Structures are given as structure tokens and as C-alpha cells.
Amino acid sequence: MSVLTAEPGATPAAEEPPDTGERHRLTAVTGLAALSLDAMASVAYGPEAIVLVLAAAGAHGLGFTLPVTLAIAGLLAVLVASYRQVIAAFPDGGGSYAVAKTHLGARTSLVAAASLVLDYVLNVAVAVTAGVAALTSAFPELYDERLWLCLAVLVLITGVNLRGIVESAKAFIVPTVVFVGSIFVLIIVGLFRSAPVSTATADGHASVLADNATTVGALLLLKAFASGCSALTGVEALANAVPSFRVPRAKRAQRAEVALGAVLGVMLIGLSVLISRFHLQPVEGVTVLAQLADASLGHNWAFYVIQFATMILLALSANTSFGGLPVLLKLLARDNYLPHVFALKADRQVHRHGVLTLALVSAALLVFSAGDTNTLVPLFAIGVFIGFTIAQVGMVRHWNEERGTGWRGKAALNGFGGLLTGVSAVVVTATKFEEGAWLIVIAVPLLVGAFETVHRAYARIGERLGLGCIPEPPHRDRSVVVVPVSNLSRLTCEAINAATSLGDEVRAVTVCHSDPEDRAQVAALELAWEEWNPGVPLVRLASERRALGRPIASYVSRIAAYEPGTRVTVLIPEVEPDRLWQRLLQNQRGAVVAHAVRKETDAVICRLRFRIN
């Protein structure tokens, strides 16, 4: 056998470079697949939201579908340009929360964070319910099972995201390409049609078009604009999750943002043109996109490809929230506004606590809405617009303070976008207030209050711990280790061995109750202890009541009172079985003692786990 040696200072050829975690981060393409599905898939319900509002003005109102969509596309261009600037200015992510925290103050940043949290949670529910709605449009017999279908899709997406954002992006690239390609085919083919090829999907369904309406008011147009802006959800997700991209993070995120804006804008305008060309009327139980596919491609295999692609991408578009919200929760936890557990990161760059929390809250929303998309969309839009508006206003202040090249134009762009999204937020809140928007009006302040409560708690803890201050020089106290025992065993021996290594003095204690059986058992223990003679005294603690923890806690308190300057440690030996089910066999004596000592004394508690192999 030969031994290979290396020259001093030489680098072994087989040595692997350190894992920096970059392979678990996103490129511009995978970033689109992981974080932009929400925005892309919103073309399935954004145009429909516009049509449903304009339908109140009859066929005359539907004629304004394209102008309203063009206004939304203009706002999309403003938002994309703005969020490119946000990405460059705040490469650590956080979107509107980071902007507001820097330029608008802590309270406003928390309002932005609360709106983003609600946005992300509602996005999951809206995406999943809209995806299932696409499925039930093609297969009406599944309509009554939509809630269970929604929950099954949510479980699937959660499982994929627990494996990492890159894994989810790889899994979702193909569905994204199929969906976007299908929509472009639908639009291109439809532009060459002078009339619908088929109306089979809408046949037999009641129209929701209002009769005898001939005028369209400004308020109705504003309401349609605000409702249609639900298609802009997800535009901010890339700015929120910049740390998830590979180096150079900001440039990759900016490229993904521009690509998202271009693809989404073309799809929105194209579908609206077809709505006007085919004089489409919304009907109950069938989505507008399903009618467009029927009219453009016919009721054939191509129609079902569109429906399945829509269903899959809508369902998977919830992934935007799973990519963005855990990063936001991490930033809030880092700033002491959420429990620090949300800042923990597992393998594959996964914030598991954020992912699981999002899944549980979204499941509750799905149950609340019974899997109905239209119940959730009004709530969804408000949180989006609040975040948009705060980010735009914050960026205006950013440019005003920075005053770099072209700052006036950039500030004007952000100011105009903030005005549009602010108006939309007010309109959609007012018009949808009685339909459930009041929940958001209440939820945002409640979330802000919760963030501030957590922050105050961490501030108190930090003050008591002296965080940020240089502590006193360490000093050594005399130490006494108290070991509760009830019998002699290998566990007792291991506990005494550990205790003698920890303290200057070790005292074993056993609790004796008044009934004869207990007294006899303690007497037998004392005889066995004397025979073993470990060099450690065994102290009998008499107790009139059938209590275990309180007598030991009282003894520890007496040591602290009569022996000042002594550090007391209570070492509790416990068996740790090798199988999970065997824990049911334990008597929990250790937990009882630990609880009593922790509650009544300041002693250090050490729980010694003795593993049985």
C-alpha cells in the first residue's frame, strides 16, 4: 500500500472549494420561474376582474376593457421601472419594507411589512383557488370538491418549497414555459379570427351582464382599474427576494424584473384585445380565459391544454409567496419584530419556519373562503396597493435625499406611480369594504401592533441581558451540584460522575413521603447508597404531600439563602430511549422537577440524557 504525500504549501488536487451556497440560489431565468409565477398567472383573473366590474354597465361598459387594460399596462411599466430602482438601492431585499424603514420611519415600514405579509398569504389562497377554478371550468363535475383540491395543491407546493427555492424553480420552469407559450398562441391565433370559433364553454351558463345600461361613470372605471390591478401582484416579489439570487444579485434580479414586465404587459394587452374583438360577455361558472381559449382555438384538445396549463401555473404561482415571504419574515426577525426562529435557515437556503407558517395560514384562508377566488381577490388587491404606494413614496424621498444624476425624473416617475396606486388603494377599499375589505383595514393595524409588541419584548430582554454592553469580568463562585435520585442504577452512576466533574460539592437528594411504602423504599435506597459509598452524601427530603418538584426546589432555595455566594446547579438524570414510541413509557419525573426548580429558584438546570443503545 502506498502513501501519497504533498509538498509543503501545495493545494491537494482533490480539494473541493468551500460551499458558499450560490448553487442554491437563483439565476435570472430560474428567478422568473420561482418568483414571477404570481404575476404571470394573474392574467387568468386580472382581465376577468376588469370585465366583471364593467359588466355592471352592460355591453357599453365592456367596450372600455381595452382602455382600462392599457392604463394598467402603463402602471405596470412604471412599477417595473420603480422596482428596478428599488433592487439597486436595496440589494438586501425587503422591497417596500426596506424602503420605508430607511426613508419613512419605523411605523410606516411596519405598515408596509404588514401589507406585504397579507399580500403574500392572500396570493397563495387566490392562486390556488384560481387554479382549481380553471380545472372546474373544464370539468364542472369537480366543482363541489374544489376545497379539497385546493388543500391538496397547497400541500404539494409546500413540500416542494421545503426542498429549497432552486428546486422549486427547476420544477416550475416547464409549466411556466408551457403556460406563457399557450397564452401567446391563444393571442396570436385569436388576432386572426374575426369571430369566435366556439362558444361551447359558455353555452347554458347565465350571463352576469347588466341590462339597459348605457353610461359608464368615472367611479366605475376607477373601480375596474383598481380591480384589474390585481394582475400586477407579484411585480414586487423580485425586489423582496434579491438575496435569493446568485451574484451579482441586483443585476440578475433587475433582468428578471424587466423580463417579467415585458411578458406580463404583452399578455394583458393581447387578452384584452381579444375580449373586445370577440365581444365576450362574462358568465357564471366559467372563467374569461376559458371563454377566450374556446373562442380562439375551439373546443378541442388545444382548449384543454390551455385549461390545464392555466390550472397548473395558477396553482404553482403561489410559489411566489413561498419565495418572498420567508425572506421578509427573516428581515423582520432580524430587526426584532418577529420571533428569531424565522431568521433561521436550513440546508438549501430554506427558511422552513416561514414556509410552514405561510402554508398553515393559507390553509385557514382556503377553508374560510371555501375555495372561492372572488371572495379573496378584493382582499388581495388592498395589501398589494398599500405596499406599492409606500414603496413609491419612499423612493421619491430616496431620490430627493440622494440627488444623483437624473434624480428629478426618477422621483417624478415614482411619484406618478405612487399617485396611481394610492388612488387604486382608496377606490378598491371603498368599493369592496362591505364585501370583506374591512378585514384588511383591521388586519394591518393588528399586525403592526403584533410586530411592535414583539419588538418591545426583545428590547426588554436585551436590556436585561445587557446586549451591546461589555459585561463584568468573569469570576468563579463556589458551586454545589444537586442530583435528584430515586434508586441506584447506571443512570445514577453517570449522573454522579457528571456532577463531580461540574461542581466543587455534590449532594444527592431523594424525596420521602409519609406513607410506609415510600419510607421503606427510601430506607432501602439509603442502605444501598451506604454500601455503594460514592463519596457523595444522600440527603433525605421529607414531604407530607405527594409532591416531587417542590421539595427539591425548596431545598435549593435554602442552599441559596444559607450559603450566599454559592452557584447551585440541579443535574437531572433522564433516560433517552432509542425509539420514539418508547418515550411514552417514561414517567416524566425529570420534567416535573425541572419545572418546579425553574419556577421557584434561579438555579442552573442541567438535564443529563442517558441514551439506551
Side-chain angles (χ1 to χ4, degrees), residues 481 483 492-503 506 571 606 608:
V481 182
V483 183
T492 309
C493 181
E494 289 292 331
I496 297 300
N497 289 339
T500 54
S501 302
L502 290 174
V506 178
L571 188 146
C606 177
L608 174 67

Side-chain angles (χ1 to χ4, degrees), residues 186-264:
L186 184 156
I187 293 171
I188 293 170
V189 173
L191 291 175
F192 288 95
R193 305 283 193 193
S194 58
V197 176
S198 170
T199 59
T201 303
D203 290 344
H205 293 267
S207 174
V208 298
L209 198 66
D211 296 327
N212 303 321
T214 58
T215 59
V216 179
L219 183 59
L220 185 68
L221 291 176
L222 283 174
K223 183 178 178 181
F225 174 81
S227 296
C229 279
S230 60
L232 303 181
T233 56
V235 172
E236 80 290 351
L238 294 163
N240 294 338
V242 177
S244 297
F245 284 85
R246 294 181 184 175
V247 175
R249 309 195 199 287
K251 289 191 177 296
R252 290 184 188 273
Q254 285 178 322
R255 294 191 200 109
E257 188 76 56
V258 172
L260 167 63
V263 172
L264 178 58

Side-chain angles (χ1 to χ4, degrees), residues 219-583:
L219 183 59
L220 185 68
L221 291 176
L222 283 174
K223 183 178 178 181
F225 174 81
S227 296
C229 279
S230 60
L232 303 181
T233 56
V235 172
E236 80 290 351
L238 294 163
N240 294 338
V242 177
S244 297
F245 284 85
R246 294 181 184 175
V247 175
R249 309 195 199 287
K251 289 191 177 296
R252 290 184 188 273
Q254 285 178 322
R255 294 191 200 109
E257 188 76 56
V258 172
L260 167 63
V263 172
L264 178 58
V266 171
M267 289 195 295
L268 285 174
I269 295 172
L271 292 176
S272 295
V273 169
L274 294 186
I275 290 172
S276 300
R277 176 182 287 264
F278 296 145
H279 304 290
L280 184 144
Q281 297 182 7
V283 298
E284 294 180 355
V286 180
T287 64
V288 167
L289 188 60
Q291 292 186 67
L292 286 176
D294 199 19
S296 180
L297 303 174
H299 202 76
N300 49 33
W301 63 269
F303 168 82
Y304 288 99
V305 168
I306 293 284
Q307 291 308 106
F308 275 111
T310 303
M311 175 199 68
I312 292 172
L313 199 75
L314 277 168
L316 298 183
S317 67
N319 197 66
T320 297
S321 295
F322 283 97
L325 182 60
V327 175
L328 175 62
L329 297 183
K330 179 199 76 172
L331 295 176
L332 287 166
R334 185 192 64 186
D335 295 336
N336 295 331
Y337 288 111
L338 278 180
H340 289 169
V341 69
F342 287 107
L344 299 179
K345 187 182 294 185
D347 295 337
R348 301 174 180 266
Q349 305 293 317
V350 179
H351 298 282
R352 287 180 179 167
H353 293 89
V355 169
L356 292 174
T357 300
L358 174 59
L360 290 174
V361 177
S362 300
L365 267 180
L366 289 173
V367 173
F368 165 76
S369 66
D372 181 52
T373 307
N374 292 326
T375 302
L376 298 169
V377 168
L379 312 181
F380 187 29
I382 298 172
V384 175
F385 293 143
I386 292 174
F388 282 165
T389 305
I390 290 175
Q392 303 289 323
V393 174
M395 288 305 293
V396 170
R397 295 201 58 177
H398 173 78
W399 299 125
N400 187 52
E401 294 173 6
E402 188 179 86
R403 292 180 178 268
T405 304
W407 71 273
R408 287 187 176 87
K410 295 175 180 178
L413 179 69
N414 292 134
F416 180 64
L419 176 64
L420 291 178
T421 55
V423 169
S424 298
V426 172
V427 171
V428 76
T429 303
T431 56
K432 298 292 185 180
F433 190 82
E434 294 183 357
E435 298 177 28
W438 58 271
L439 287 171
I440 303 300
V441 176
I442 294 175
V444 169
L446 287 177
L447 274 177
V448 171
F451 294 153
E452 291 179 332
T453 300
V454 172
H455 191 73
R456 286 193 297 268
Y458 274 126
R460 287 193 298 270
I461 294 171
E463 183 179 355
R464 293 174 183 175
L465 292 177
L467 295 178
C469 301
I470 298 176
E472 299 176 356
H475 61 279
R476 188 180 188 280
D477 292 330
R478 175 178 175 272
S479 59
V480 172
V481 182
V482 176
V483 183
V485 297
S486 59
N487 52 48
L488 285 186
S489 65
R490 285 185 59 194
L491 177 61
T492 309
C493 181
E494 289 292 331
I496 297 300
N497 289 339
T500 54
S501 302
L502 290 174
D504 298 321
E505 181 182 352
V506 178
R507 303 176 189 174
V509 298
T510 187
V511 178
C512 179
H513 301 114
S514 57
D515 59 79
E517 183 180 351
D518 282 339
R519 289 202 300 269
Q521 190 175 18
V522 171
L525 173 62
E526 289 174 333
L527 288 175
W529 193 272
E530 185 176 350
E531 181 180 352
W532 181 36
N533 191 22
V536 172
L538 177 64
V539 180
R540 177 193 291 211
L541 303 178
S543 175
E544 295 297 325
R545 297 183 178 181
R546 303 292 300 181
L548 178 64
R550 182 167 295 178
I552 296 175
S554 298
Y555 179 72
V556 172
S557 297
R558 289 198 297 273
I559 295 176
Y562 292 108
E563 302 179 40
T566 300
R567 176 80 63 177
V568 182
T569 299
V570 179
L571 188 146
I572 304 172
E574 296 177 299
V575 173
E576 183 174 329
D578 58 345
R579 298 184 183 277
L580 183 63
W581 69 268
Q582 291 176 344
R583 295 185 182 182

Side-chain angles (χ1 to χ4, degrees), residues 153-164 322 355-356 359:
V153 171
L154 178 61
V155 170
L156 171 65
I157 298 171
T158 303
V160 172
N161 277 276
L162 287 174
R163 292 185 54 81
F322 283 97
V355 169
L356 292 174

